[in-house]
Amino acid sequence: MERKVALITGVTGQDGSYLSEFLIEKGYDVHGIIRRSSVDYRERIAHLEGHPQFHLHYADMGDSMSLVKVIGKVQPTEIYNLAAQSHVQVSFDSPEFTADVDATGVLRVLEAVRANHLEQTCRIYQASTSELYGKVEEVPQNEKTPFHPYSPYAVAKLYGFWIIKEYREAYNMFCCSGILFNHESERRGETFVTRKITLAAARIAQGKQDKLYLGNLSSLRDWGYAKDYVECMWLILQHDTPEDFVIATGVQHSVREFCQYAFRAAGIEVEFKGEGMDEKGYDVKTGKCIIEVSPDFYRPTDVVNLWGDPTKARKELGWDPQKTTFEELVSIMVKHDMQKVAADHVASVMRTNLAEYLEKGLVK
Ligand code: NAP
Ligand code: G4F
């Protein structure tokens, strides 16, 4: 029987967790790379730990030898290189670390595959990004649109894109980039704009937070559902020839619109008034200001007009860009966060009660 062994870097991340579930379901043995952390609980993959098809190994994208060793031990047939410092704003604060992980890290994976003589048997997926289009030169963007990276993150990812292409041509390796537009979910990191909004909407609706502070409300994104996008990563590696693909929904919304949809799903109608830094969002029912703009969330250079054209992926991979619509995505995220905020509240009341009972000697 054909060996199906996948190695995922970035397995603890949003995409790594969904991809692990997807590949286990397809019958793969899934190996993930984790790095040492002072906190051992890995929230997104906790439910997979102990599964007979799921295995974890310590390694780091900054440590070549650790990558050579793990690839040699696992002998993967497919590698999904998802590990990255993935926050664009953070890349302005830690540009060198971002370059080391997001650019040189890709080279380390490719060289580790070659060092283990797996270059003709192991297919490699690189997590590339719509941030490459940056200060966009064309709308919507497709595989032929010129790149114009506009952050240290995007510049690092551009190196990753080109080194993958270089190894494909120089060594005839099956390595490809998925140029993925923003994809979100209930597992999205809490400082990315969509999750920040859905959590705030849930907290404000339940009286746990007064206001949400955001940066550029006019920024436009093509937001899809992460669970749908991991299928495409796999489809790209099953294709006859190694090629790069744009993965997007083909639908664009602003941060402001995302707020309105999310707060509506949480039961609050929002109306925006004012302009620029003075723009504010008001709860239509109470007249209370619940959204404000803060300069803290503006970037030195911001990508403001991302809109993907997924025609190639639809035609050549048979992938459905509209499997989950924008409205469904927002609804999934808000529903999840409404439950999370309510559950956090119950847990905190129970902790307070227990502390009080212990203090009074009512429970031993
Ligand atoms: P994420 O949730 O931030 O996950 C990033 C993963 O990378 C985590 O598992 C993290 O491990 C790991 N990592 C970071 N530095 C590492 C290092 N030095 N060594 C080993 N592992 C390291 O990101 P995501 O949203 O799932 O995105 C997955 C990939 O797709 C990333 O490369 C991202 O740049 C790219 N991408 C994402 C989107 C999107 O909209 N989500 C769009 C286009 C491209 P820890 O848990 O230990 O931090
Ligand atoms: O949610 P974001 O931080 O995502 P961004 O910068 O588009 O990056 C994400 O998608 C990329 C694909 O295009 C990935 F490659 C990358 O790894 C990451 O997953 O910001 C989206 C937009 C930006 O224009 C930002 O300026 O929202 C704007 N924004 C406005 N207020 C904000 C905020 N972003 C964040 N994070 N926080 C705010 O308060």
Side-chain angles (χ1 to χ4, degrees):
M1 210 173 73
E2 190 198 348
R3 273 180 86 240
K4 292 204 281 189
V5 182
L7 178 68
I8 304 177
T9 72
V11 73
T12 54
Q14 169 189 258
D15 293 2
S17 64
Y18 284 122
L19 181 64
S20 298
E21 290 166 4
F22 178 85
L23 293 174
I24 286 173
E25 192 67 31
K26 288 253 171 243
Y28 282 73
D29 258 334
V30 175
H31 295 257
I33 282 175
I34 49 164
R35 41 182 188 159
R36 150 85 187 137
S37 152
S38 65
V39 183
D40 276 336
Y41 183 57
R42 295 173 277 269
E43 197 182 4
R44 296 189 183 103
I45 53 166
H47 61 295
L48 296 176
E49 294 193 36
H51 191 289
Q53 283 164 256
F54 190 67
H55 319 274
L56 296 175
H57 309 264
Y58 281 105
D60 195 294
M61 295 301 287
D63 179 349
S64 306
M65 276 313 289
S66 70
L67 295 170
V68 171
K69 281 192 273 183
V70 76
I71 289 172
K73 186 173 166 195
V74 169
Q75 298 279 307
T77 55
E78 293 174 12
I79 293 179
Y80 295 86
N81 184 37
L82 310 186
Q85 189 302 94
S86 72
H87 203 285
V88 175
Q89 187 156 10
V90 172
S91 78
F92 289 97
D93 299 323
S94 291
E96 191 179 336
F97 172 72
T98 304
D100 191 44
V101 177
D102 300 12
T104 318
V106 185
L107 177 67
R108 292 190 186 104
V109 169
L110 290 164
E111 279 298 306
V113 168
R114 293 186 68 227
N116 283 290
H117 310 292
L118 296 174
E119 62 267 42
Q120 298 312 316
T121 54
C122 178
R123 296 185 169 199
I124 304 168
Y125 170 86
Q126 166 59 16
S128 203
T129 167
S130 49
E131 289 290 313
L132 298 185
Y133 300 118
K135 194 175 180 188
V136 299
E137 297 187 8
E138 185 177 72
V139 180
Q141 296 95 32
N142 62 35
E143 290 80 2
K144 295 201 169 72
T145 303
F147 296 139
H148 189 146
Y150 215 34
S151 66
Y153 167 80
V155 173
K157 283 282 186 180
L158 187 66
Y159 176 88
F161 178 87
W162 280 108
I163 201 71
I164 285 282
K165 206 167 157 51
E166 176 57 24
Y167 274 49
R168 183 158 78 212
E169 289 171 20
Y171 304 117
N172 195 29
M173 289 169 73
F174 197 111
C175 41
C176 324
S177 288
I179 305 172
L180 270 57
F181 282 63
N182 298 52
H183 44 281
E184 318 293 315
S185 74
E186 58 275 36
R187 295 185 195 170
R188 183 61 143 151
E190 296 182 8
T191 59
F192 294 96
V193 78
T194 55
R195 190 76 200 287
K196 184 171 165 183
I197 295 168
T198 58
L199 269 170
R203 288 192 187 119
I204 291 172
Q206 294 180 41
K208 302 279 167 216
Q209 185 176 327
D210 289 330
K211 220 173 255 182
L212 167 64
Y213 292 92
L214 292 169
N216 186 359
L217 296 171
S218 301
S219 190
L220 296 160
R221 286 290 181 277
D222 179 326
W223 280 295
Y225 188 30
K227 220 174 177 173
D228 301 342
Y229 282 40
V230 299
E231 182 194 5
C232 237
M233 298 176 184
W234 176 76
L235 285 171
I236 289 173
L237 290 195
Q238 312 316 306
H239 197 49
D240 297 341
T241 47
E243 285 176 45
D244 306 320
F245 288 87
V246 159
I247 307 301
T249 67
V251 178
Q252 192 189 46
H253 290 278
S254 66
V255 171
R256 187 181 296 104
E257 284 167 341
F258 193 99
C259 285
Q260 285 173 317
Y261 277 90
F263 276 84
R264 190 170 301 140
I268 300 171
E269 206 59 43
V270 175
E271 188 187 4
F272 283 94
K273 288 182 194 163
E275 273 179 38
M277 296 297 289
D278 295 324
E279 184 167 358
K280 291 182 172 55
Y282 297 89
D283 179 337
V284 170
K285 202 159 137 200
T286 64
K288 217 176 131 190
C289 171
I290 50 173
I291 302 173
E292 272 194 48
V293 174
S294 159
D296 290 349
F297 303 109
Y298 270 81
R299 299 168 184 185
T301 47
D302 196 15
V303 173
V304 295
N305 195 0
L306 291 181
W307 182 10
D309 173 2
T311 307
K312 183 180 174 192
R314 201 180 51 229
K315 284 192 178 153
E316 293 187 25
L317 302 175
W319 181 70
D320 175 9
Q322 282 296 308
K323 192 168 172 190
T324 306
T325 63
F326 174 78
E327 290 78 3
E328 286 165 344
L329 168 68
V330 177
S331 156
I332 290 167
M333 291 177 72
V334 173
K335 191 172 168 205
H336 174 274
D337 285 340
M338 288 293 275
Q339 285 168 359
K340 177 180 157 52
V341 171
D344 287 350
H345 176 69
V346 171
S348 124
V349 170
M350 283 170 74
R351 271 196 305 275
T352 312
N353 288 347
L354 182 63
E356 217 176 288
Y357 294 156
L358 284 169
E359 200 178 299
K360 290 180 180 162
L362 297 174
V363 281
K364 301 262 185 265

